[in-house]
Amino acid sequence: RDWRDPLHPNTGILQWCDTNNVQFQAFSPLGGQQLAKPSVTGNPILKNPTIKRIARANKITPAQVVIKWNIQHGVGVIIRTSDLKHLSENLNTFDK
């Protein structure tokens, strides 16, 4: 388990895990890790123009784009939310 999001894809460890039959889990895939930095304002992952454009084109949320991106790369995702709307969106990532 390690930090992985589209701006920090961690490809080296992902390749190692694949070679050694280890399931990689993405920690903080929606950019929460970035928010811990004092210099960061707003979520750089969910506000990323490319991610937002993909979301609009597919009529899904930016969070769903990132979740789907991870899963399509064989990565398990650990998502934390206390917001029921976000929880529902996250669970329905592949419905669209």
Side-chain angles (χ1 to χ4, degrees), residues 66-80:
V66 176
I67 292 168
K68 200 175 262 199
W69 171 78
N70 272 296
I71 292 171
Q72 288 173 334
H73 284 93
V75 174
V77 292
I78 300 171
I79 307 289
R80 183 185 75 94

Side-chain angles (χ1 to χ4, degrees), residues 25-90:
Q25 287 185 318
F27 172 79
S28 198
L30 301 181
Q33 189 79 5
Q34 290 287 338
L35 299 175
K37 296 179 181 178
S39 61
V40 174
T41 57
N43 187 314
I45 305 302
L46 300 182
K47 300 220 182 276
N48 180 282
T50 302
I51 293 171
K52 288 171 72 173
R53 186 179 70 249
I54 293 167
R56 276 192 307 276
N58 291 283
K59 296 182 172 105
I60 59 177
T61 68
Q64 288 173 315
V65 170
V66 176
I67 292 168
K68 200 175 262 199
W69 171 78
N70 272 296
I71 292 171
Q72 288 173 334
H73 284 93
V75 174
V77 292
I78 300 171
I79 307 289
R80 183 185 75 94
T81 184
S82 57
D83 183 312
L84 292 179
K85 180 180 177 228
H86 290 162
L87 178 62
S88 177
E89 288 171 353
N90 295 345

